[in-house]
C-alpha cells in the first residue's frame, strides 16, 4: 500500500476516527497519518495530560469547574515524532507518564465534564484547521469535526477489546478480568455522559474489527480515504 492516489495532494482532508477504548483507534490513526503524511492528533493523550496535571496538582477528577480552570492554565501540545507523537504538558515531555494506568483511569473521569470537553474541543479544532489531520477520539465525527470528509467508527466486541487492552498494559500490572471490567465501566461512562456521548455520527462508516486483522481494517479505511481524495481531486483540481 505504498502508492497514494495521484490526487491526494490536491486538497488535504480531515479523517475522523471514533470508537470505544481498545478498538484500535490509535493504531489505525497512526498508520493512516504515516501513509498520507498527515498529522495524527490523539485526543486521548490530551485528556490524559490534563488528568496527569490534576493528579499532580491535587485537583479532584470529580470537580468539573476546577478541572476547566486547570485546563485553561495548561499548555498541551502533540509533537510529531518518527516513533509516534510526543506529549508535552507545559513544555515538559510527559509521553511516558500519561500512559500510567492511574492516569488513564483518571482521564476517563476527567473527560465526562462538559466544561473540560468544551475546552478540549476548541483546542482540537484549532489544531485541525486546514485539514491534513487524522484525529481519533470519541466525539470527533459528531462534535469536534462534524463536517469531516471521512468518518470512521471503529468498534469490536468488549471481550476482544479487553484482551487487546490487557496486552498493551505493563507486564502483570493487572489481571485481564479487571482490565475488561474497567473497560466496560469506561464504556458505560462514555456512552451515557450528557455531553458528547460516544455514538457513531449518522454518516460514519462502521468498521467492526472483532474478526478482522489490522491489515484488513487498514485496507478498508484506505479504500474509503482514497475514494474521497479522488473525488476531491476532481472537484478541486
Amino acid at each position: 500500500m505504498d502508492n497514494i492516489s495521484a490526487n491526494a495532494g490536491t486538497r488535504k482532508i480531515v479523517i475522523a476516527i471514533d470508537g470505544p477504548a481498545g478498538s484500535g483507534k490509535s493504531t489505525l490513526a497512526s498508520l493512516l497519518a504515516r501513509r498520507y503524511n498527515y498529522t495524527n492528533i490523539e485526543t486521548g493523550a490530551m485528556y490524559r495530560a490534563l488528568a496527569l496535571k490534576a493528579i499532580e496538582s491535587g485537583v479532584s477528577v470529580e470537580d468539573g469547574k476546577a478541572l476547566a480552570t486547570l485546563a485553561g492554565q495548561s499548555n498541551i501540545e502533540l509533537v510529531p515524532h518518527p516513533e509516534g507523537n510526543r506529549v508535552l504538558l507545559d513544555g515538559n515531555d510527559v509521553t511516558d507518564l500519561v500512559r500510567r494506568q492511574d492516569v488513564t483511569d483518571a482521564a476517563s473521569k476527567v473527560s465526562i465534564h462538559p466544561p473540560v470537553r468544551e475546552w478540549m474541543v476548541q483546542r482540537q479544532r484549532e489544531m485541525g484547521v486546514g485539514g491534513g489531520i487524522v484525529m481519533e477520539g470519541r466525539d470527533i465525527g459528531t462534535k469536534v469535526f462534524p463536517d469531516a470528509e471521512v468518518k470512521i467508527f471503529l468498534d469490536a466486541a468488549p471481550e476482544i477489546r479487553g484482551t487487546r487492552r490487557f496486552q498493551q498494559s505493563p507486564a502483570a500490572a493487572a489481571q485481564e478480568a479487571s482490565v475488561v471490567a474497567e473497560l466496560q465501566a469506561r464504556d458505560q461512562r462514555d456512552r451515557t455522559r450528557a455531553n458528547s456521548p460516544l455514538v457513531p455520527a449518522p454518516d460514519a462508516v462502521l468498521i467492526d474489527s472483532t474478526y478482522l486483522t489490522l491489515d484488513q481494517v487498514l485496507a478498508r479505511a484506505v479504500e474509503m480515504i482514497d475514494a474521497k481524495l479522488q473525488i476531491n481531486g476532481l472537484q478541486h483540481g
Side-chain angles (χ1 to χ4, degrees):
M1 286 200 266
D2 294 325
N3 297 322
I4 300 175
S5 167
N7 293 311
T10 303
R11 178 173 179 266
K12 291 189 174 182
I13 64 175
V14 173
I15 302 169
I17 304 175
D18 290 307
S23 59
K25 301 187 304 295
S26 297
T27 300
L28 178 60
S30 177
L31 291 172
L32 291 174
R34 274 186 296 209
R35 175 181 173 82
Y36 294 99
N37 195 27
Y38 276 19
T39 300
N40 176 20
I41 300 180
E42 304 170 89
T43 60
M46 297 175 68
Y47 283 103
R48 286 193 291 273
L50 181 59
L52 173 65
K53 187 167 183 175
I55 291 172
E56 294 180 340
S57 303
V59 174
S60 171
V61 296
E62 309 296 337
D63 191 338
K65 185 176 180 179
L67 288 168
T69 299
L70 189 68
Q73 300 168 345
S74 304
N75 181 22
I76 300 173
E77 300 175 84
L78 300 176
V79 180
H81 189 272
E83 297 177 359
N85 288 337
R86 306 302 295 178
V87 184
L88 301 186
L89 174 61
D90 299 329
N92 299 312
D93 190 329
V94 295
T95 307
D96 294 331
L97 293 177
V98 298
R99 301 297 177 183
R100 287 182 350 212
Q101 189 60 48
D102 64 326
V103 175
T104 298
D105 294 344
S108 176
K109 297 172 183 176
V110 163
S111 70
I112 68 173
H113 300 291
V116 173
R117 297 200 70 83
E118 289 300 326
W119 184 87
M120 286 288 184
V121 166
Q122 183 59 38
R123 286 287 295 117
Q124 291 156 10
R125 284 175 177 162
E126 291 170 0
M127 297 168 75
V129 170
I133 63 166
V134 181
M135 187 176 287
E136 53 90 3
R138 287 167 176 74
D139 61 353
I140 309 307
T142 56
K143 178 76 173 180
V144 184
F145 284 104
D147 296 325
E149 289 87 346
V150 173
K151 298 180 186 179
I152 296 171
F153 192 90
L154 187 61
D155 206 349
E159 297 78 11
I160 298 297
R161 291 188 286 112
T163 298
R164 291 172 182 168
R165 181 52 57 91
F166 173 73
Q167 292 172 344
Q168 293 172 351
S169 302
Q175 294 298 317
E176 184 168 358
S178 66
V179 173
V180 173
E182 171 54 32
L183 181 144
Q184 291 175 328
R186 184 173 181 179
D187 281 354
Q188 179 67 12
R189 289 194 296 269
D190 288 342
R191 295 179 193 273
T192 60
R193 64 179 177 234
N195 186 273
S196 301
L198 173 63
V199 293
D203 53 346
V205 175
L206 174 65
I207 299 180
D208 188 326
S209 66
T210 302
Y211 301 109
L212 298 179
T213 65
L214 177 58
D215 284 345
Q216 289 172 322
V217 172
L218 180 61
R220 291 193 182 185
V222 165
E223 183 179 7
M224 292 170 52
I225 295 165
D226 280 353
K228 182 62 67 173
L229 288 170
Q230 185 175 28
I231 291 173
N232 282 346
L234 291 173
Q235 291 176 342
H236 298 278

